[in-house]
Amino acid sequence: MFKRLPGDEARNLVTTTPDTAVVFRPAVLKTPALVTLIIYGWRFLIALVRTLWRHPVASAVPVALGSLYAWHGWPLAVSVLGFVVLVLLAWAFLTRDSFARLVGWRLLAWWRLMSVYRRHWQAVMDVSGLARRINSRAYMPRLVKVQCDGWADRITVRMLDGQAVKDWTDRTDNLAQGFDAVSCRVALVKGGRLLLTFPRSDPLASPIPALPIPDEPSVGPVEIGKQEDGQPLKLKVHGTHVLIAGATGAGKGSFLWDTVRGLLPAMQAGLAEIWALDPKLMELSFGRELFQGRYASDPADCANLLDDAVSVMQKRAARFAGLQRSHTPTVEDPFVLVLVDEVAFLTAYQPDKQLRNRISAALATLATQGRSVGVGVMAALQDPRKEVMNIRNLFPDKIALRLDESEQVDMVLGDGARDRGALADHISPVPELGAGVAYMRLETSPEPVRVRAAYVSDDDIRAMVATFTTRGEAA
């Protein structure tokens, strides 16, 4: 941009040659060569110190080999290099876990940093619109560090001043495509810093067979499957309420039966009871003997069973008042889990208005007052809309399996869950690929976690019934 002349005289300038335009040339200030050398030398020194600080091991290796070569010749340098390589290989074969934790993942992180992220960083930031240019000066978000593990790359990023997390969550598709990843998830670490997660593999790609029944009685957390990072998925059921939402065939039954399977030893020991409501007559009825008579399918019977649960809750609250604030399972006061399959049939689609109001009131009472006295609710439904399930916010822990619409993700997991990577509407409808895959958001963490529940087959349920009833009769 040309600087305006005083008095706006630029428009009054004329030329004696009409065919020649007036050309303004900026003044050129010649910098002395010594100043230029000092500036470049200072920049090189800063870059060298930064490299040594960020990559001490990668910098020490060539320095050490170069020193050995300079002082003792190439045979010793090659011998030392070969010895170190053999030691690392032996370490990797003998104790793979410790090698991966201390060496392997760090080497992979350095390689991914240099070959992928730093190489494409500027281009991806520019194209995605996360970089800014002000007065011809470029401002770029800073790549702080890269960490790797068995399934994903985790990138710590320093945002530009004035940027918001939403600026990044709106561009997760751009980031994933730019760095050749399947998906990208954004999480706020602290003020100004983000953690970008780029999965490299998918441990949940294959169905998980039914997990073994625990040996020791416990009311949870119950192991029901696997998390995306390969760690066991343990679901808390005692001291909370769980809402499960998913389309038909998404695998809601896997979460229900895995929970029952994990609580079987506690049920046999008298420390837990499961009260089942099965209005569809197709899921929980297959193992109704496990519930010891606390099973209902008719809407009127479901309402009565819920009223009984409310009565148990209120009696416990009266006894616990002033004595204890949390529940410890005992034979006298076992943990009661109210299991409801397709709760929307009872709360929204039930034609009997009086019955519908009874059921809704009982569920709301249990959801607001039950967990402190050892009465929990686990409810499954297909349609998560507010008019279908108006008490969904009373469930601290929520699970979203495959959903039909992107808006339903936030309905189940809360506002902004889909922007943070909970793509429940993208889960495959093919049973082998997507059945039981879900995003879980717990009360203790706002970040959704991708998980997969183990598949409990009909034969597994028959074996559970046979084992439970045989031990019950023997007792």
Side-chain angles (χ1 to χ4, degrees), residues 2-295:
F2 298 123
K3 183 177 180 180
R4 298 181 63 184
L5 296 176
D8 198 17
E9 296 180 0
R11 62 184 180 183
N12 298 327
L13 295 177
V14 295
T15 175
T16 56
T17 55
D19 296 334
T20 304
V22 177
V23 179
F24 294 90
R25 292 187 176 89
V28 178
L29 178 63
K30 294 183 178 181
T31 305
L34 180 60
V35 175
T36 303
L37 292 175
I38 292 175
I39 293 174
Y40 279 106
W42 175 252
R43 291 179 178 176
F44 174 77
L45 181 61
I46 292 177
L48 180 62
V49 172
R50 185 185 293 116
T51 301
L52 294 175
W53 174 261
R54 293 181 178 177
H55 312 288
V57 177
S59 303
V61 170
V63 171
L65 292 177
S67 301
L68 287 175
Y69 173 76
W71 293 341
H72 303 285
W74 66 266
L76 181 60
V78 172
S79 300
V80 170
L81 178 61
F83 176 76
V84 171
V85 171
L86 289 176
V87 169
L88 292 176
L89 290 175
W91 185 7
F93 278 106
L94 294 176
T95 55
R96 181 171 300 181
D97 292 339
S98 63
F99 175 82
R101 184 176 67 256
L102 298 175
V103 179
W105 299 134
R106 297 187 182 188
L107 288 176
L108 179 61
W110 177 81
W111 173 253
R112 298 281 294 175
L113 170 67
M114 303 306 295
S115 64
V116 178
Y117 298 108
R118 184 151 294 178
R119 177 184 176 187
H120 301 292
W121 187 255
Q122 182 174 352
V124 173
M125 293 298 105
D126 280 334
V127 174
S128 62
L130 292 170
R132 295 290 183 269
R133 295 187 181 274
I134 303 175
N135 294 332
S136 300
R137 182 175 179 180
Y139 294 87
M140 194 78 56
R142 185 161 65 89
L143 177 60
V144 178
K145 65 178 178 180
V146 177
Q147 295 174 301
C148 293
D149 56 21
W151 72 280
D153 298 338
R154 293 179 172 86
I155 318 300
T156 304
V157 177
R158 174 73 182 180
M159 293 189 294
L160 294 177
D161 294 341
Q163 277 189 334
V165 179
K166 194 174 188 307
D167 295 331
W168 292 75
T169 56
D170 290 343
R171 294 169 173 83
T172 53
D173 291 340
N174 304 72
L175 295 171
Q177 189 277 334
F179 295 117
D180 197 22
V182 177
S183 63
C184 171
R185 295 166 205 172
V186 180
L188 181 64
V189 179
K190 61 180 181 179
R193 293 203 174 194
L194 296 178
L195 182 66
L196 309 181
T197 303
F198 296 98
R200 296 192 315 273
S201 61
D202 187 8
L204 309 180
S206 301
I208 304 172
L211 301 176
I213 298 175
D215 297 326
E216 299 295 330
S218 173
V219 295
V222 180
E223 184 175 349
I224 64 172
K226 186 187 296 184
Q227 301 183 48
E228 189 174 28
D229 59 1
Q231 297 298 316
L233 169 61
K234 295 185 177 182
L235 180 63
K236 179 182 177 182
V237 291
H238 178 248
T240 188
H241 306 296
V242 183
L243 178 65
I244 305 170
T248 301
K252 297 185 293 295
S254 297
F255 284 88
L256 299 178
W257 281 113
D258 280 319
T259 303
V260 174
R261 190 176 180 85
L263 291 177
L264 269 182
M267 295 168 63
Q268 294 170 354
L271 300 177
E273 296 177 356
I274 295 182
W275 298 18
L277 282 69
D278 187 24
K280 290 196 308 182
L281 278 171
M282 292 303 296
E283 188 66 53
L284 300 178
S285 62
F286 205 75
R288 69 179 67 186
E289 294 88 349
L290 296 172
F291 309 122
Q292 297 180 320
R294 299 181 181 90
Y295 171 88

Side-chain angles (χ1 to χ4, degrees), residues 217-224 234-242 259 262-263 266 270-274 316 320 324-331 333-339 366 369-378 396-397 442-444:
S218 173
V219 295
V222 180
E223 184 175 349
I224 64 172
K234 295 185 177 182
L235 180 63
K236 179 182 177 182
V237 291
H238 178 248
T240 188
H241 306 296
V242 183
T259 303
L263 291 177
L271 300 177
E273 296 177 356
I274 295 182
R316 285 188 185 180
F320 292 170
Q324 63 187 70
R325 298 175 58 189
S326 59
H327 174 258
T328 301
T330 61
V331 176
D333 292 311
F335 166 58
V336 176
L337 178 62
V338 179
L339 211 61
L366 292 173
Q369 305 174 29
R371 64 175 181 167
S372 61
V373 295
V375 180
V377 179
M378 176 179 284
D397 298 334
L442 304 179
E443 181 183 19
T444 55

Side-chain angles (χ1 to χ4, degrees), residues 307-362:
D307 288 340
D308 291 341
V310 172
S311 177
V312 170
M313 179 200 72
Q314 292 173 342
K315 291 178 181 179
R316 285 188 185 180
R319 287 190 289 110
F320 292 170
L323 299 176
Q324 63 187 70
R325 298 175 58 189
S326 59
H327 174 258
T328 301
T330 61
V331 176
E332 293 76 18
D333 292 311
F335 166 58
V336 176
L337 178 62
V338 179
L339 211 61
V340 188
D341 183 36
E342 197 47 60
V343 65
F345 180 81
L346 300 174
T347 60
Y349 306 140
Q350 174 54 236
D352 189 332
K353 183 178 180 180
Q354 184 177 2
L355 202 58
R356 184 171 68 245
N357 292 337
R358 274 183 62 195
I359 293 173
S360 298

